[in-house]
Amino acid sequence: MATYIALLRGVNVGGKNRVVMATLKEQFEQHGFTNVSTYLNSGNVLFSSEETNILQLTEECEKLIESEFGLKIIVTIVSEKMLLEALEQMPEWWNTDRK
């Protein structure tokens, strides 16, 4: 089972496209995703799924959100593996200005 992050574009920004994170989490769980958690009101959802096709997952998440919240939201799915690979490629100078 793989772990993914669903990034929802334009959710809970400036009072528009309001999505209650507890409801979003519940809907992801009811859809069959596991280990579901959300982060504040960001519209970011971490979850696990047997599905490995990113395009299929994206379509499922977009349909789920439109069905439950009546919003056509663009969703970007990033696998845990993809995120770790990207982080490994960070240049050495990245984030060196923090003290």
Side-chain angles (χ1 to χ4, degrees):
M1 184 168 299
T3 301
Y4 300 94
I5 304 168
L7 305 169
L8 283 58
R9 182 164 187 228
V11 167
N12 295 340
V13 177
K16 295 197 175 209
N17 296 335
R18 181 162 153 66
V19 174
V20 176
M21 294 295 101
T23 305
L24 183 62
K25 179 182 186 290
E26 182 180 291
Q27 289 303 309
F28 267 63
E29 290 170 338
Q30 287 180 6
H31 189 74
F33 298 129
T34 57
N35 303 316
V36 180
S37 62
T38 59
Y39 183 72
L40 303 173
N41 277 336
S42 66
N44 298 330
V45 183
L46 292 117
F47 66 98
S48 296
S49 175
E50 294 289 341
E51 179 62 63
T52 58
N53 184 316
I54 297 286
L55 294 176
Q56 178 67 33
L57 283 170
T58 300
E59 185 176 303
E60 287 179 34
C61 291
E62 288 177 348
K63 285 182 180 178
L64 181 151
I65 293 161
E66 185 172 7
S67 171
E68 176 61 29
F69 299 98
L71 301 170
K72 286 187 102 28
I73 298 295
I74 295 171
V75 176
T76 300
I77 303 289
V78 178
S79 71
E80 177 183 40
K81 180 181 177 189
M82 291 168 54
L83 178 59
L84 290 174
E85 287 173 357
L87 291 172
E88 288 172 358
Q89 299 301 315
M90 285 188 330
E92 288 185 28
W93 56 262
W94 185 269
N95 208 22
T96 58
D97 61 338
R98 287 193 165 182
K99 299 192 186 231

